[in-house]
Amino acid sequence: MTQEEINSTNWSQSVAGVCLKEGKVLLARHTYGSGNGKLIIPGGYVKFGEVPEETLVREYLEETGVRVKAGRLLGIRFSAKDWYAVFAAEYVEGEARSDGDENSEVVWMDVEEALKDETVPGLTKTMIEQALKETGFELTPYQTTKQGNFLYVGR
Protein backbone atom coordinates (compact mmCIF):
# COMPACT_ATOMS: atom_id res chain seq x y z
CA MET A 1 0.00 0.00 0.00
CA THR A 2 1.39 3.38 -0.98
CA GLN A 3 1.63 6.36 1.37
CA GLU A 4 -1.03 8.11 -0.73
CA GLU A 5 -3.41 5.15 -0.26
CA ILE A 6 -2.75 5.16 3.48
CA ASN A 7 -3.42 8.90 3.73
CA SER A 8 -6.63 8.72 1.63
CA THR A 9 -8.21 5.93 3.69
CA ASN A 10 -10.73 6.52 6.45
CA TRP A 11 -9.67 3.76 8.84
CA SER A 12 -12.84 4.16 10.93
CA GLN A 13 -15.31 3.28 8.14
CA SER A 14 -15.44 -0.10 6.39
CA VAL A 15 -17.85 -2.11 4.27
CA ALA A 16 -18.34 -5.64 3.01
CA GLY A 17 -20.84 -7.39 0.80
CA VAL A 18 -22.56 -10.73 0.38
CA CYS A 19 -22.69 -11.73 -3.29
CA LEU A 20 -25.06 -14.64 -3.99
CA LYS A 21 -25.30 -16.29 -7.40
CA GLU A 22 -26.97 -19.57 -8.33
CA GLY A 23 -26.96 -20.93 -4.76
CA LYS A 24 -23.35 -19.95 -4.12
CA VAL A 25 -21.68 -17.15 -2.16
CA LEU A 26 -18.43 -15.42 -3.14
CA LEU A 27 -15.80 -15.71 -0.40
CA ALA A 28 -12.13 -14.74 -0.17
CA ARG A 29 -9.48 -16.48 1.96
CA HIS A 30 -7.89 -13.66 3.98
CA THR A 31 -4.08 -13.52 4.29
CA TYR A 32 -3.50 -11.30 7.35
CA GLY A 33 -4.71 -10.25 10.80
CA SER A 34 -7.40 -12.02 12.79
CA GLY A 35 -9.00 -13.24 9.55
CA ASN A 36 -5.82 -14.95 8.30
CA GLY A 37 -6.78 -18.26 6.66
CA LYS A 38 -10.52 -17.62 7.01
CA LEU A 39 -13.03 -17.45 4.16
CA ILE A 40 -14.78 -14.10 4.50
CA ILE A 41 -17.06 -11.82 2.52
CA PRO A 42 -14.99 -9.29 0.53
CA GLY A 43 -14.80 -5.66 1.61
CA GLY A 44 -12.52 -2.94 2.87
CA TYR A 45 -12.04 0.59 4.11
CA VAL A 46 -13.77 3.67 2.75
CA LYS A 47 -11.59 6.32 1.12
CA PHE A 48 -12.16 9.97 2.03
CA GLY A 49 -14.74 11.42 -0.39
CA GLU A 50 -16.22 7.99 -1.18
CA VAL A 51 -19.68 6.79 -0.15
CA PRO A 52 -19.93 3.25 1.22
CA GLU A 53 -21.68 1.87 -1.89
CA GLU A 54 -18.76 3.08 -4.06
CA THR A 55 -16.30 1.46 -1.68
CA LEU A 56 -18.08 -1.87 -1.98
CA VAL A 57 -17.89 -1.81 -5.78
CA ARG A 58 -14.21 -0.78 -5.75
CA GLU A 59 -13.13 -3.29 -3.11
CA TYR A 60 -14.95 -6.20 -4.77
CA LEU A 61 -13.32 -5.48 -8.12
CA GLU A 62 -9.85 -5.02 -6.60
CA GLU A 63 -10.00 -8.11 -4.38
CA THR A 64 -11.99 -10.56 -6.50
CA GLY A 65 -12.14 -9.42 -10.13
CA VAL A 66 -15.93 -9.43 -9.85
CA ARG A 67 -17.98 -6.31 -10.54
CA VAL A 68 -20.97 -5.88 -8.21
CA LYS A 69 -23.65 -3.30 -7.50
CA ALA A 70 -24.47 -2.38 -3.91
CA GLY A 71 -27.95 -3.55 -2.99
CA ARG A 72 -29.84 -3.37 0.27
CA LEU A 73 -28.06 -2.77 3.57
CA LEU A 74 -27.98 -6.07 5.47
CA GLY A 75 -26.41 -4.98 8.73
CA ILE A 76 -24.18 -2.45 10.42
CA ARG A 77 -21.88 -2.74 13.42
CA PHE A 78 -21.00 0.37 15.43
CA SER A 79 -18.34 0.83 18.08
CA ALA A 80 -16.96 3.87 19.87
CA LYS A 81 -14.20 4.14 17.26
CA ASP A 82 -15.61 2.84 13.97
CA TRP A 83 -18.44 1.37 11.92
CA TYR A 84 -18.73 -1.59 9.51
CA ALA A 85 -21.64 -1.86 7.05
CA VAL A 86 -22.59 -4.97 5.07
CA PHE A 87 -24.56 -4.80 1.83
CA ALA A 88 -26.12 -7.31 -0.50
CA ALA A 89 -23.67 -7.26 -3.43
CA GLU A 90 -25.50 -7.88 -6.69
CA TYR A 91 -23.34 -9.72 -9.24
CA VAL A 92 -22.81 -7.76 -12.46
CA GLU A 93 -19.92 -9.49 -14.28
CA GLY A 94 -16.44 -10.94 -13.96
CA GLU A 95 -14.53 -14.10 -13.17
CA ALA A 96 -13.57 -14.69 -9.54
CA ARG A 97 -9.81 -14.57 -8.90
CA SER A 98 -7.47 -13.82 -6.01
CA ASP A 99 -5.77 -10.45 -5.78
CA GLY A 100 -2.59 -12.28 -4.67
CA ASP A 101 -2.22 -9.90 -1.72
CA GLU A 102 -5.12 -9.53 0.71
CA ASN A 103 -6.45 -12.98 -0.17
CA SER A 104 -4.94 -16.27 -1.32
CA GLU A 105 -8.06 -17.54 -3.10
CA VAL A 106 -11.53 -16.41 -4.10
CA VAL A 107 -14.21 -19.06 -4.44
CA TRP A 108 -17.88 -19.45 -5.22
CA MET A 109 -18.94 -21.77 -2.38
CA ASP A 110 -22.27 -23.50 -2.01
CA VAL A 111 -24.24 -21.48 0.55
CA GLU A 112 -25.11 -24.49 2.72
CA GLU A 113 -21.47 -25.60 2.71
CA ALA A 114 -20.32 -22.08 3.69
CA LEU A 115 -22.73 -22.02 6.63
CA LYS A 116 -21.18 -25.27 7.94
CA ASP A 117 -17.51 -24.60 7.09
CA GLU A 118 -15.30 -24.05 10.15
CA THR A 119 -13.06 -21.61 8.26
CA VAL A 120 -16.02 -19.26 7.65
CA PRO A 121 -16.31 -16.91 10.68
CA GLY A 122 -19.56 -16.29 12.52
CA LEU A 123 -19.99 -12.72 11.26
CA THR A 124 -19.75 -13.90 7.63
CA LYS A 125 -22.25 -16.70 8.32
CA THR A 126 -24.67 -14.25 9.96
CA MET A 127 -24.49 -11.90 6.98
CA ILE A 128 -25.02 -14.77 4.50
CA GLU A 129 -28.11 -15.81 6.47
CA GLN A 130 -29.38 -12.21 6.42
CA ALA A 131 -28.84 -12.00 2.64
CA LEU A 132 -30.87 -15.18 2.16
CA LYS A 133 -33.83 -13.62 4.00
CA GLU A 134 -34.08 -10.96 1.28
CA THR A 135 -34.85 -8.32 3.90
CA GLY A 136 -32.87 -5.33 5.01
CA PHE A 137 -32.84 -1.62 4.31
CA GLU A 138 -33.44 -0.20 0.84
CA LEU A 139 -31.87 3.00 -0.48
CA THR A 140 -34.81 5.42 -0.74
CA PRO A 141 -35.01 9.04 -1.95
CA TYR A 142 -36.63 11.61 0.29
CA GLN A 143 -37.98 15.15 -0.04
CA THR A 144 -35.56 17.93 0.85
CA THR A 145 -34.27 21.22 -0.42
CA LYS A 146 -31.20 19.41 -1.81
CA GLN A 147 -31.33 17.05 -4.77
CA GLY A 148 -30.05 13.49 -4.70
CA ASN A 149 -30.58 12.76 -1.01
CA PHE A 150 -31.20 9.13 -0.05
CA LEU A 151 -31.47 7.15 3.14
CA TYR A 152 -31.90 3.49 3.95
CA VAL A 153 -35.31 2.45 5.27
CA GLY A 154 -36.55 -0.98 6.38
CA ARG A 155 -38.61 -3.18 4.18
PDB file of all heavy atoms in Angstrom, residues 43-76:
ATOM      1  N   GLY A  43     -14.500  -7.030   1.210  1.00  0.00           N
ATOM      2  CA  GLY A  43     -14.796  -5.662   1.607  1.00  0.00           C
ATOM      3  C   GLY A  43     -13.531  -4.913   1.934  1.00  0.00           C
ATOM      4  O   GLY A  43     -12.431  -5.391   1.690  1.00  0.00           O
ATOM      5  N   GLY A  44     -13.684  -3.731   2.501  1.00  0.00           N
ATOM      6  CA  GLY A  44     -12.519  -2.938   2.865  1.00  0.00           C
ATOM      7  C   GLY A  44     -12.897  -1.572   3.388  1.00  0.00           C
ATOM      8  O   GLY A  44     -14.068  -1.269   3.625  1.00  0.00           O
ATOM      9  N   TYR A  45     -11.876  -0.744   3.535  1.00  0.00           N
ATOM     10  CA  TYR A  45     -12.038   0.592   4.114  1.00  0.00           C
ATOM     11  C   TYR A  45     -12.480   1.618   3.086  1.00  0.00           C
ATOM     12  O   TYR A  45     -12.084   1.566   1.927  1.00  0.00           O
ATOM     13  CB  TYR A  45     -10.744   1.049   4.766  1.00  0.00           C
ATOM     14  CG  TYR A  45     -10.419   0.275   6.015  1.00  0.00           C
ATOM     15  CD1 TYR A  45      -9.486  -0.754   5.994  1.00  0.00           C
ATOM     16  CD2 TYR A  45     -11.068   0.569   7.209  1.00  0.00           C
ATOM     17  CE1 TYR A  45      -9.199  -1.470   7.140  1.00  0.00           C
ATOM     18  CE2 TYR A  45     -10.788  -0.151   8.360  1.00  0.00           C
ATOM     19  CZ  TYR A  45      -9.848  -1.166   8.323  1.00  0.00           C
ATOM     20  OH  TYR A  45      -9.580  -1.879   9.463  1.00  0.00           O
ATOM     21  N   VAL A  46     -13.271   2.570   3.563  1.00  0.00           N
ATOM     22  CA  VAL A  46     -13.774   3.671   2.755  1.00  0.00           C
ATOM     23  C   VAL A  46     -12.664   4.706   2.579  1.00  0.00           C
ATOM     24  O   VAL A  46     -11.943   5.013   3.528  1.00  0.00           O
ATOM     25  CB  VAL A  46     -15.000   4.325   3.443  1.00  0.00           C
ATOM     26  CG1 VAL A  46     -15.506   5.525   2.666  1.00  0.00           C
ATOM     27  CG2 VAL A  46     -16.108   3.293   3.648  1.00  0.00           C
ATOM     28  N   LYS A  47     -12.519   5.216   1.368  1.00  0.00           N
ATOM     29  CA  LYS A  47     -11.587   6.322   1.119  1.00  0.00           C
ATOM     30  C   LYS A  47     -12.313   7.637   1.388  1.00  0.00           C
ATOM     31  O   LYS A  47     -13.524   7.737   1.191  1.00  0.00           O
ATOM     32  CB  LYS A  47     -11.095   6.287  -0.324  1.00  0.00           C
ATOM     33  CG  LYS A  47     -10.187   5.113  -0.643  1.00  0.00           C
ATOM     34  CD  LYS A  47      -9.644   5.224  -2.051  1.00  0.00           C
ATOM     35  CE  LYS A  47      -8.793   4.048  -2.414  1.00  0.00           C
ATOM     36  NZ  LYS A  47      -7.549   3.970  -1.675  1.00  0.00           N
ATOM     37  N   PHE A  48     -11.567   8.653   1.823  1.00  0.00           N
ATOM     38  CA  PHE A  48     -12.165   9.969   2.030  1.00  0.00           C
ATOM     39  C   PHE A  48     -12.796  10.429   0.723  1.00  0.00           C
ATOM     40  O   PHE A  48     -12.203  10.302  -0.340  1.00  0.00           O
ATOM     41  CB  PHE A  48     -11.120  10.976   2.513  1.00  0.00           C
ATOM     42  CG  PHE A  48     -10.645  10.704   3.914  1.00  0.00           C
ATOM     43  CD1 PHE A  48      -9.379  10.217   4.150  1.00  0.00           C
ATOM     44  CD2 PHE A  48     -11.498  10.919   4.993  1.00  0.00           C
ATOM     45  CE1 PHE A  48      -8.937   9.957   5.434  1.00  0.00           C
ATOM     46  CE2 PHE A  48     -11.073  10.655   6.287  1.00  0.00           C
ATOM     47  CZ  PHE A  48      -9.791  10.176   6.508  1.00  0.00           C
ATOM     48  N   GLY A  49     -14.027  10.948   0.790  1.00  0.00           N
ATOM     49  CA  GLY A  49     -14.743  11.417  -0.387  1.00  0.00           C
ATOM     50  C   GLY A  49     -15.561  10.343  -1.080  1.00  0.00           C
ATOM     51  O   GLY A  49     -16.260  10.622  -2.049  1.00  0.00           O
ATOM     52  N   GLU A  50     -15.491   9.115  -0.601  1.00  0.00           N
ATOM     53  CA  GLU A  50     -16.223   7.991  -1.179  1.00  0.00           C
ATOM     54  C   GLU A  50     -17.437   7.699  -0.308  1.00  0.00           C
ATOM     55  O   GLU A  50     -17.370   7.832   0.911  1.00  0.00           O
ATOM     56  CB  GLU A  50     -15.293   6.764  -1.149  1.00  0.00           C
ATOM     57  CG  GLU A  50     -15.371   5.820  -2.265  1.00  0.00           C
ATOM     58  CD  GLU A  50     -14.293   4.731  -2.184  1.00  0.00           C
ATOM     59  OE1 GLU A  50     -13.903   4.288  -1.097  1.00  0.00           O
ATOM     60  OE2 GLU A  50     -13.847   4.328  -3.257  1.00  0.00           O
ATOM     61  N   VAL A  51     -18.544   7.280  -0.929  1.00  0.00           N
ATOM     62  CA  VAL A  51     -19.675   6.793  -0.147  1.00  0.00           C
ATOM     63  C   VAL A  51     -19.539   5.281  -0.034  1.00  0.00           C
ATOM     64  O   VAL A  51     -18.894   4.638  -0.873  1.00  0.00           O
ATOM     65  CB  VAL A  51     -21.039   7.207  -0.762  1.00  0.00           C
ATOM     66  CG1 VAL A  51     -21.212   8.716  -0.725  1.00  0.00           C
ATOM     67  CG2 VAL A  51     -21.207   6.670  -2.152  1.00  0.00           C
ATOM     68  N   PRO A  52     -20.120   4.672   0.994  1.00  0.00           N
ATOM     69  CA  PRO A  52     -19.932   3.247   1.223  1.00  0.00           C
ATOM     70  C   PRO A  52     -20.259   2.350   0.020  1.00  0.00           C
ATOM     71  O   PRO A  52     -19.553   1.373  -0.242  1.00  0.00           O
ATOM     72  CB  PRO A  52     -20.861   2.954   2.405  1.00  0.00           C
ATOM     73  CG  PRO A  52     -20.919   4.240   3.147  1.00  0.00           C
ATOM     74  CD  PRO A  52     -20.881   5.301   2.072  1.00  0.00           C
ATOM     75  N   GLU A  53     -21.310   2.697  -0.735  1.00  0.00           N
ATOM     76  CA  GLU A  53     -21.676   1.871  -1.888  1.00  0.00           C
ATOM     77  C   GLU A  53     -20.565   1.862  -2.940  1.00  0.00           C
ATOM     78  O   GLU A  53     -20.317   0.848  -3.579  1.00  0.00           O
ATOM     79  CB  GLU A  53     -22.986   2.373  -2.509  1.00  0.00           C
ATOM     80  CG  GLU A  53     -24.193   2.285  -1.581  1.00  0.00           C
ATOM     81  CD  GLU A  53     -24.369   3.511  -0.683  1.00  0.00           C
ATOM     82  OE1 GLU A  53     -23.468   4.363  -0.596  1.00  0.00           O
ATOM     83  OE2 GLU A  53     -25.435   3.591  -0.053  1.00  0.00           O
ATOM     84  N   GLU A  54     -19.894   3.000  -3.120  1.00  0.00           N
ATOM     85  CA  GLU A  54     -18.760   3.078  -4.063  1.00  0.00           C
ATOM     86  C   GLU A  54     -17.593   2.229  -3.566  1.00  0.00           C
ATOM     87  O   GLU A  54     -16.918   1.567  -4.356  1.00  0.00           O
ATOM     88  CB  GLU A  54     -18.291   4.526  -4.220  1.00  0.00           C
ATOM     89  CG  GLU A  54     -19.286   5.429  -4.898  1.00  0.00           C
ATOM     90  CD  GLU A  54     -18.894   6.902  -4.818  1.00  0.00           C
ATOM     91  OE1 GLU A  54     -18.205   7.329  -3.865  1.00  0.00           O
ATOM     92  OE2 GLU A  54     -19.294   7.635  -5.744  1.00  0.00           O
ATOM     93  N   THR A  55     -17.366   2.265  -2.268  1.00  0.00           N
ATOM     94  CA  THR A  55     -16.295   1.465  -1.678  1.00  0.00           C
ATOM     95  C   THR A  55     -16.538  -0.013  -1.941  1.00  0.00           C
ATOM     96  O   THR A  55     -15.609  -0.746  -2.304  1.00  0.00           O
ATOM     97  CB  THR A  55     -16.198   1.713  -0.163  1.00  0.00           C
ATOM     98  OG1 THR A  55     -15.968   3.090   0.067  1.00  0.00           O
ATOM     99  CG2 THR A  55     -15.082   0.890   0.455  1.00  0.00           C
ATOM    100  N   LEU A  56     -17.760  -0.460  -1.751  1.00  0.00           N
ATOM    101  CA  LEU A  56     -18.081  -1.867  -1.975  1.00  0.00           C
ATOM    102  C   LEU A  56     -17.734  -2.286  -3.399  1.00  0.00           C
ATOM    103  O   LEU A  56     -17.074  -3.304  -3.613  1.00  0.00           O
ATOM    104  CB  LEU A  56     -19.559  -2.139  -1.694  1.00  0.00           C
ATOM    105  CG  LEU A  56     -19.975  -3.593  -1.912  1.00  0.00           C
ATOM    106  CD1 LEU A  56     -19.388  -4.479  -0.829  1.00  0.00           C
ATOM    107  CD2 LEU A  56     -21.477  -3.712  -1.964  1.00  0.00           C
ATOM    108  N   VAL A  57     -18.155  -1.494  -4.370  1.00  0.00           N
ATOM    109  CA  VAL A  57     -17.891  -1.808  -5.780  1.00  0.00           C
ATOM    110  C   VAL A  57     -16.386  -1.852  -6.036  1.00  0.00           C
ATOM    111  O   VAL A  57     -15.870  -2.788  -6.649  1.00  0.00           O
ATOM    112  CB  VAL A  57     -18.586  -0.778  -6.704  1.00  0.00           C
ATOM    113  CG1 VAL A  57     -18.162  -0.950  -8.146  1.00  0.00           C
ATOM    114  CG2 VAL A  57     -20.104  -0.885  -6.566  1.00  0.00           C
ATOM    115  N   ARG A  58     -15.651  -0.860  -5.553  1.00  0.00           N
ATOM    116  CA  ARG A  58     -14.205  -0.783  -5.753  1.00  0.00           C
ATOM    117  C   ARG A  58     -13.479  -1.961  -5.098  1.00  0.00           C
ATOM    118  O   ARG A  58     -12.662  -2.632  -5.704  1.00  0.00           O
ATOM    119  CB  ARG A  58     -13.664   0.537  -5.194  1.00  0.00           C
ATOM    120  CG  ARG A  58     -12.141   0.668  -5.286  1.00  0.00           C
ATOM    121  CD  ARG A  58     -11.627   1.967  -4.701  1.00  0.00           C
ATOM    122  NE  ARG A  58     -12.067   2.249  -3.344  1.00  0.00           N
ATOM    123  CZ  ARG A  58     -11.583   1.658  -2.248  1.00  0.00           C
ATOM    124  NH1 ARG A  58     -10.637   0.735  -2.339  1.00  0.00           N
ATOM    125  NH2 ARG A  58     -12.047   1.984  -1.048  1.00  0.00           N
ATOM    126  N   GLU A  59     -13.808  -2.222  -3.843  1.00  0.00           N
ATOM    127  CA  GLU A  59     -13.127  -3.293  -3.111  1.00  0.00           C
ATOM    128  C   GLU A  59     -13.395  -4.666  -3.731  1.00  0.00           C
ATOM    129  O   GLU A  59     -12.499  -5.495  -3.835  1.00  0.00           O
ATOM    130  CB  GLU A  59     -13.542  -3.280  -1.636  1.00  0.00           C
ATOM    131  CG  GLU A  59     -12.944  -2.155  -0.844  1.00  0.00           C
ATOM    132  CD  GLU A  59     -11.463  -2.341  -0.545  1.00  0.00           C
ATOM    133  OE1 GLU A  59     -10.940  -3.461  -0.644  1.00  0.00           O
ATOM    134  OE2 GLU A  59     -10.811  -1.333  -0.208  1.00  0.00           O
ATOM    135  N   TYR A  60     -14.624  -4.921  -4.138  1.00  0.00           N
ATOM    136  CA  TYR A  60     -14.949  -6.195  -4.773  1.00  0.00           C
ATOM    137  C   TYR A  60     -14.121  -6.394  -6.038  1.00  0.00           C
ATOM    138  O   TYR A  60     -13.543  -7.452  -6.255  1.00  0.00           O
ATOM    139  CB  TYR A  60     -16.441  -6.286  -5.098  1.00  0.00           C
ATOM    140  CG  TYR A  60     -17.157  -7.322  -4.268  1.00  0.00           C
ATOM    141  CD1 TYR A  60     -17.638  -7.015  -3.005  1.00  0.00           C
ATOM    142  CD2 TYR A  60     -17.335  -8.613  -4.735  1.00  0.00           C
ATOM    143  CE1 TYR A  60     -18.289  -7.963  -2.235  1.00  0.00           C
ATOM    144  CE2 TYR A  60     -17.985  -9.575  -3.988  1.00  0.00           C
ATOM    145  CZ  TYR A  60     -18.458  -9.243  -2.724  1.00  0.00           C
ATOM    146  OH  TYR A  60     -19.092 -10.191  -1.978  1.00  0.00           O
ATOM    147  N   LEU A  61     -14.068  -5.366  -6.867  1.00  0.00           N
ATOM    148  CA  LEU A  61     -13.324  -5.475  -8.118  1.00  0.00           C
ATOM    149  C   LEU A  61     -11.833  -5.679  -7.846  1.00  0.00           C
ATOM    150  O   LEU A  61     -11.201  -6.552  -8.444  1.00  0.00           O
ATOM    151  CB  LEU A  61     -13.557  -4.248  -8.992  1.00  0.00           C
ATOM    152  CG  LEU A  61     -13.052  -4.334 -10.423  1.00  0.00           C
ATOM    153  CD1 LEU A  61     -13.647  -5.524 -11.172  1.00  0.00           C
ATOM    154  CD2 LEU A  61     -13.374  -3.043 -11.162  1.00  0.00           C
ATOM    155  N   GLU A  62     -11.273  -4.897  -6.920  1.00  0.00           N
ATOM    156  CA  GLU A  62      -9.849  -5.023  -6.596  1.00  0.00           C
ATOM    157  C   GLU A  62      -9.505  -6.393  -6.027  1.00  0.00           C
ATOM    158  O   GLU A  62      -8.510  -6.999  -6.411  1.00  0.00           O
ATOM    159  CB  GLU A  62      -9.437  -3.958  -5.561  1.00  0.00           C
ATOM    160  CG  GLU A  62      -9.396  -2.555  -6.076  1.00  0.00           C
ATOM    161  CD  GLU A  62      -9.133  -1.531  -4.979  1.00  0.00           C
ATOM    162  OE1 GLU A  62      -8.931  -1.905  -3.792  1.00  0.00           O
ATOM    163  OE2 GLU A  62      -9.132  -0.335  -5.315  1.00  0.00           O
ATOM    164  N   GLU A  63     -10.325  -6.880  -5.107  1.00  0.00           N
ATOM    165  CA  GLU A  63      -9.996  -8.107  -4.381  1.00  0.00           C
ATOM    166  C   GLU A  63     -10.406  -9.389  -5.085  1.00  0.00           C
ATOM    167  O   GLU A  63      -9.812 -10.435  -4.840  1.00  0.00           O
ATOM    168  CB  GLU A  63     -10.636  -8.079  -2.991  1.00  0.00           C
ATOM    169  CG  GLU A  63     -10.058  -7.022  -2.089  1.00  0.00           C
ATOM    170  CD  GLU A  63     -10.682  -7.017  -0.709  1.00  0.00           C
ATOM    171  OE1 GLU A  63     -11.454  -7.948  -0.377  1.00  0.00           O
ATOM    172  OE2 GLU A  63     -10.401  -6.079   0.046  1.00  0.00           O
ATOM    173  N   THR A  64     -11.449  -9.318  -5.939  1.00  0.00           N
ATOM    174  CA  THR A  64     -11.987 -10.563  -6.499  1.00  0.00           C
ATOM    175  C   THR A  64     -12.080 -10.606  -8.012  1.00  0.00           C
ATOM    176  O   THR A  64     -12.329 -11.668  -8.572  1.00  0.00           O
ATOM    177  CB  THR A  64     -13.412 -10.826  -5.954  1.00  0.00           C
ATOM    178  OG1 THR A  64     -14.323  -9.886  -6.534  1.00  0.00           O
ATOM    179  CG2 THR A  64     -13.470 -10.740  -4.437  1.00  0.00           C
ATOM    180  N   GLY A  65     -11.950  -9.460  -8.688  1.00  0.00           N
ATOM    181  CA  GLY A  65     -12.137  -9.417 -10.132  1.00  0.00           C
ATOM    182  C   GLY A  65     -13.593  -9.424 -10.547  1.00  0.00           C
ATOM    183  O   GLY A  65     -13.911  -9.448 -11.732  1.00  0.00           O
ATOM    184  N   VAL A  66     -14.497  -9.392  -9.575  1.00  0.00           N
ATOM    185  CA  VAL A  66     -15.926  -9.432  -9.851  1.00  0.00           C
ATOM    186  C   VAL A  66     -16.513  -8.032  -9.657  1.00  0.00           C
ATOM    187  O   VAL A  66     -16.242  -7.369  -8.654  1.00  0.00           O
ATOM    188  CB  VAL A  66     -16.639 -10.443  -8.922  1.00  0.00           C
ATOM    189  CG1 VAL A  66     -18.149 -10.340  -9.034  1.00  0.00           C
ATOM    190  CG2 VAL A  66     -16.174 -11.862  -9.237  1.00  0.00           C
ATOM    191  N   ARG A  67     -17.299  -7.596 -10.628  1.00  0.00           N
ATOM    192  CA  ARG A  67     -17.982  -6.305 -10.536  1.00  0.00           C
ATOM    193  C   ARG A  67     -19.360  -6.558  -9.919  1.00  0.00           C
ATOM    194  O   ARG A  67     -20.103  -7.430 -10.361  1.00  0.00           O
ATOM    195  CB  ARG A  67     -18.135  -5.674 -11.912  1.00  0.00           C
ATOM    196  CG  ARG A  67     -18.701  -4.255 -11.878  1.00  0.00           C
ATOM    197  CD  ARG A  67     -18.705  -3.583 -13.240  1.00  0.00           C
ATOM    198  NE  ARG A  67     -17.432  -3.663 -13.942  1.00  0.00           N
ATOM    199  CZ  ARG A  67     -16.386  -2.852 -13.725  1.00  0.00           C
ATOM    200  NH1 ARG A  67     -16.471  -1.926 -12.803  1.00  0.00           N
ATOM    201  NH2 ARG A  67     -15.281  -2.989 -14.424  1.00  0.00           N
ATOM    202  N   VAL A  68     -19.676  -5.770  -8.890  1.00  0.00           N
ATOM    203  CA  VAL A  68     -20.968  -5.876  -8.212  1.00  0.00           C
ATOM    204  C   VAL A  68     -21.626  -4.503  -8.153  1.00  0.00           C
ATOM    205  O   VAL A  68     -20.987  -3.480  -8.401  1.00  0.00           O
ATOM    206  CB  VAL A  68     -20.830  -6.430  -6.771  1.00  0.00           C
ATOM    207  CG1 VAL A  68     -20.280  -7.839  -6.774  1.00  0.00           C
ATOM    208  CG2 VAL A  68     -20.000  -5.501  -5.894  1.00  0.00           C
ATOM    209  N   LYS A  69     -22.889  -4.520  -7.788  1.00  0.00           N
ATOM    210  CA  LYS A  69     -23.646  -3.296  -7.504  1.00  0.00           C
ATOM    211  C   LYS A  69     -24.125  -3.426  -6.067  1.00  0.00           C
ATOM    212  O   LYS A  69     -24.602  -4.491  -5.652  1.00  0.00           O
ATOM    213  CB  LYS A  69     -24.833  -3.192  -8.460  1.00  0.00           C
ATOM    214  CG  LYS A  69     -25.715  -2.003  -8.198  1.00  0.00           C
ATOM    215  CD  LYS A  69     -26.896  -1.992  -9.151  1.00  0.00           C
ATOM    216  CE  LYS A  69     -27.768  -0.785  -8.810  1.00  0.00           C
ATOM    217  NZ  LYS A  69     -29.165  -1.072  -8.971  1.00  0.00           N
ATOM    218  N   ALA A  70     -24.004  -2.358  -5.297  1.00  0.00           N
ATOM    219  CA  ALA A  70     -24.475  -2.383  -3.914  1.00  0.00           C
ATOM    220  C   ALA A  70     -25.991  -2.451  -3.890  1.00  0.00           C
ATOM    221  O   ALA A  70     -26.668  -1.658  -4.538  1.00  0.00           O
ATOM    222  CB  ALA A  70     -23.986  -1.160  -3.154  1.00  0.00           C
ATOM    223  N   GLY A  71     -26.515  -3.408  -3.163  1.00  0.00           N
ATOM    224  CA  GLY A  71     -27.953  -3.553  -2.991  1.00  0.00           C
ATOM    225  C   GLY A  71     -28.372  -3.085  -1.611  1.00  0.00           C
ATOM    226  O   GLY A  71     -27.808  -2.124  -1.078  1.00  0.00           O
ATOM    227  N   ARG A  72     -29.321  -3.784  -1.028  1.00  0.00           N
ATOM    228  CA  ARG A  72     -29.843  -3.373   0.273  1.00  0.00           C
ATOM    229  C   ARG A  72     -28.777  -3.509   1.369  1.00  0.00           C
ATOM    230  O   ARG A  72     -27.863  -4.306   1.270  1.00  0.00           O
ATOM    231  CB  ARG A  72     -31.090  -4.184   0.604  1.00  0.00           C
ATOM    232  CG  ARG A  72     -30.855  -5.652   0.832  1.00  0.00           C
ATOM    233  CD  ARG A  72     -32.180  -6.423   0.835  1.00  0.00           C
ATOM    234  NE  ARG A  72     -31.965  -7.799   1.241  1.00  0.00           N
ATOM    235  CZ  ARG A  72     -31.430  -8.730   0.473  1.00  0.00           C
ATOM    236  NH1 ARG A  72     -31.047  -8.444  -0.752  1.00  0.00           N
ATOM    237  NH2 ARG A  72     -31.259  -9.951   0.916  1.00  0.00           N
ATOM    238  N   LEU A  73     -28.929  -2.719   2.404  1.00  0.00           N
ATOM    239  CA  LEU A  73     -28.057  -2.773   3.568  1.00  0.00           C
ATOM    240  C   LEU A  73     -28.518  -3.929   4.439  1.00  0.00           C
ATOM    241  O   LEU A  73     -29.673  -3.968   4.866  1.00  0.00           O
ATOM    242  CB  LEU A  73     -28.128  -1.445   4.332  1.00  0.00           C
ATOM    243  CG  LEU A  73     -27.259  -1.312   5.565  1.00  0.00           C
ATOM    244  CD1 LEU A  73     -25.780  -1.372   5.201  1.00  0.00           C
ATOM    245  CD2 LEU A  73     -27.582   0.005   6.269  1.00  0.00           C
ATOM    246  N   LEU A  74     -27.622  -4.882   4.697  1.00  0.00           N
ATOM    247  CA  LEU A  74     -27.981  -6.074   5.467  1.00  0.00           C
ATOM    248  C   LEU A  74     -27.761  -5.887   6.961  1.00  0.00           C
ATOM    249  O   LEU A  74     -28.497  -6.424   7.774  1.00  0.00           O
ATOM    250  CB  LEU A  74     -27.152  -7.273   4.992  1.00  0.00           C
ATOM    251  CG  LEU A  74     -27.315  -7.677   3.542  1.00  0.00           C
ATOM    252  CD1 LEU A  74     -26.349  -8.797   3.192  1.00  0.00           C
ATOM    253  CD2 LEU A  74     -28.751  -8.089   3.249  1.00  0.00           C
ATOM    254  N   GLY A  75     -26.715  -5.168   7.311  1.00  0.00           N
ATOM    255  CA  GLY A  75     -26.410  -4.979   8.728  1.00  0.00           C
ATOM    256  C   GLY A  75     -25.323  -3.942   8.901  1.00  0.00           C
ATOM    257  O   GLY A  75     -24.583  -3.636   7.959  1.00  0.00           O
ATOM    258  N   ILE A  76     -25.230  -3.420  10.104  1.00  0.00           N
ATOM    259  CA  ILE A  76     -24.179  -2.447  10.417  1.00  0.00           C
ATOM    260  C   ILE A  76     -23.757  -2.646  11.868  1.00  0.00           C
ATOM    261  O   ILE A  76     -24.600  -2.890  12.737  1.00  0.00           O
ATOM    262  CB  ILE A  76     -24.640  -1.000  10.136  1.00  0.00           C
ATOM    263  CG1 ILE A  76     -23.476  -0.031  10.262  1.00  0.00           C
ATOM    264  CG2 ILE A  76     -25.813  -0.606  10.988  1.00  0.00           C
ATOM    265  CD1 ILE A  76     -23.725   1.318   9.599  1.00  0.00           C
TER     266      ILE A  76
END
